Amino acid sequence: MAATRILITGATGYIGGRLTPRLVDAGHDVRVVVRNPEKLRDVPWRDSVEIVRGDLADGASLAGVFDDIDIVYYLVHAMGGSGSFADVDRVSAQNVAASAGAAGVRRIVYLGGLHPPTGDLSTHLTSRLEVGRILLDGPVAAVVFQAGVVIGSGSASFEMVRHLTDRLPVMTTPKWVHNRIQPIAIRDVLHYLESAVDVDSAINRAFDIGGPDVMEYGEMMNVYADVAGLRQRRIVVLPVLTPRLAGHWVGLVTPIPRALAMPLIESLHNDAVMHEHDIDEVVARPARGLTSYRDAVRLALRAIEDGNVETEWSGVEATGDASSDSIPSDPDWAGGTVFVDSRSGPCAADTQTLWAVVESIGGANGWYSPAWRIRGLLDRAVGGVGMRRGRPDPIRLEAGGIVDFWHVEDIDRGHGLRLRADARLPGAAWLELRVSGSRDGTSRLHLRSAFFPRGLGGRVYWWLIRPFHVLVFRRMLAGLVAAAERRASA
């Protein structure tokens, strides 16, 4: 693929933040325009792009921004509870179309929303449709992709499904829960957006895009529940539940702000399915095929869980695809709920001695707290592995190895160890042990447990065992430190 000069608007947003590094990795010259460059301070690709300041709603601020650009990605949407956002979207689209035309840009790519060909649309879908028409009627050829619910860690639509399903065994919903939805995985959205670089410059039209599954919104929730290991949710339809009331309810029981929940709920008043498949004649489907809804949920959940134990956003080892993972520009609530217990203590032994004790933990060497054996017995009682697996080597651990009902997820020998629980739990659990040194030759041990709850049962479980954790980890910390100090003085 030849290098292309690309301008991205919306690089601080959910889609733009994922698309930008993909285009950079493909060898393109990328410029991003943002109102506040500080928002990109911590993204890992900052030094690989040209960052310019500009406000799409202020035409004067765009002078020179579109110069020497081949393709513009329009990936911004105003969001809000009043009609004023539509005015901002309209003016921004007009400014982009005019500036791109004046600069000789050859293509604009826009991501809008799936909508029925006739009938009343929500205010937000109407605005998306208007933006697409402005770009298509402008002086530069445009490709408008129209997508429905995007499934990926941190996408607003997915997070609403996830939090509602996780927290509510019984859900009261408006009648739109029976409307038809055609969700699409975030990595497939990115495939279409990236492929637009090579679309014939004579094409100027909108294309529907979607995944392989068409289902009701309520079915989406229960498929999510199945993938997440939850019981099927009971859905009670209340015809009198208005979008405003539903928005307040979503804002109350999920971390998603009401101002963001409202347009999502309003958009669900219409079916969101593809009405044509002409995109297949212009852009080839991904080599792996389009991602099913079930697989998209699985990828997103794995990405979220891994992100909560400090894994890198660019490495989802289960899939080899970074596009489903959480990234710094995602909303703060993208990772969901994680419960953490952290503690540390000084050790008179040096770091090498303390690490030797840490790496030998488990199996016949024990866990330095008798409560762990009780926990192992409880796990076996409910069909888990308990403590019977032990450890293959009494001294050395390797990544991927086992230690009782844990497996070694990561090891930085001499410094840190991360274990992931294989026990029967209503969620996912990790235990981290880290060693640090002091100038006087002594050391310090850090313990951190993290629990990612699954459903309401997971949250109840955490609060029930919280007092138990305090006792277990306090004794464990003291026992490991004492063992290292005895070894050092022997």
Side-chain angles (χ1 to χ4, degrees), residues 2-21:
T4 305
R5 295 166 297 181
I6 294 174
L7 174 68
I8 297 180
T9 70
T12 59
Y14 179 72
I15 300 293
R18 283 168 163 76
L19 179 64
T20 301

Side-chain angles (χ1 to χ4, degrees), residues 8-20 34 39-40 43 45 75-77 154 327-331:
I8 297 180
T9 70
T12 59
Y14 179 72
I15 300 293
R18 283 168 163 76
L19 179 64
T20 301
V34 291
K39 288 187 175 182
L40 296 176
V43 297
W45 41 264
L75 303 173
V76 297
H77 294 307
I327 63 174
S329 56
D330 281 349

